[in-house]
Amino acid sequence: AVQLVESGGGSVQAGGSLRLSCVASPTTYGFVCMGWFRQAPGKGREGVAVVDMKGSTSYEDSVKGRFTISKDNAVNTLYLEMNSLKPEDTAMYYCTAKYGGTCAVRSEFGTWGEGTQVTVSS
């Protein structure tokens, strides 16, 4: 089974930036879609950004223009560049992937990492 391992989370002040990484072991090969979800305390998990196998991306409205999703298949890694961070971006961020189906921030995913915490202070 493929394992997804996230890193890059941390604590920053509002307006700051972070870059999350997700390494797929042993490979990203076969995934038609990869993405980032987040879950804030007391809230449900929500899709943040996804990228399909052709490189097309889609974002949740609140992060458009601030977050950028990308992937490098050569090193089996998915990224999330987060700029202009806001306190409401505070959450556990999860890497996810799927082998078929629709690639959208509201679609279902089957493979998940354990998450990396992002905390933004005002």
Side-chain angles (χ1 to χ4, degrees):
V2 174
Q3 185 178 18
L4 302 176
V5 179
E6 304 95 334
S7 63
S11 297
V12 296
Q13 291 190 327
S17 299
L18 284 172
R19 187 194 198 201
L20 306 184
S21 298
C22 169
V23 177
S25 178
T27 180
T28 56
Y29 180 79
F31 289 138
V32 300
C33 183
M34 297 188 74
W36 291 95
F37 276 59
R38 66 185 179 186
Q39 186 167 18
K43 296 186 177 181
R45 192 175 294 189
E46 66 171 356
V48 174
V50 297
V51 56
D52 68 15
M53 59 188 303
K54 296 181 180 180
S56 295
T57 59
S58 181
Y59 297 90
E60 192 268 330
D61 285 347
S62 71
V63 307
K64 287 180 180 177
R66 300 188 298 122
F67 290 11
T68 303
I69 189 171
S70 62
K71 62 186 174 77
D72 186 341
N73 290 328
V75 292
N76 301 310
T77 303
L78 179 73
Y79 302 99
L80 185 69
E81 186 75 36
M82 305 186 295
N83 298 313
S84 302
L85 282 162
K86 304 176 181 180
E88 51 263 44
D89 294 318
T90 295
M92 184 71 79
Y93 283 71
Y94 297 90
C95 176
T96 187
K98 60 198 300 184
Y99 291 101
T102 303
C103 191
V105 293
R106 287 185 171 80
S107 60
E108 296 291 324
F109 284 80
T111 304
W112 294 88
E114 294 193 351
T116 184
Q117 178 68 38
V118 172
T119 303
V120 185
S121 58
S122 58

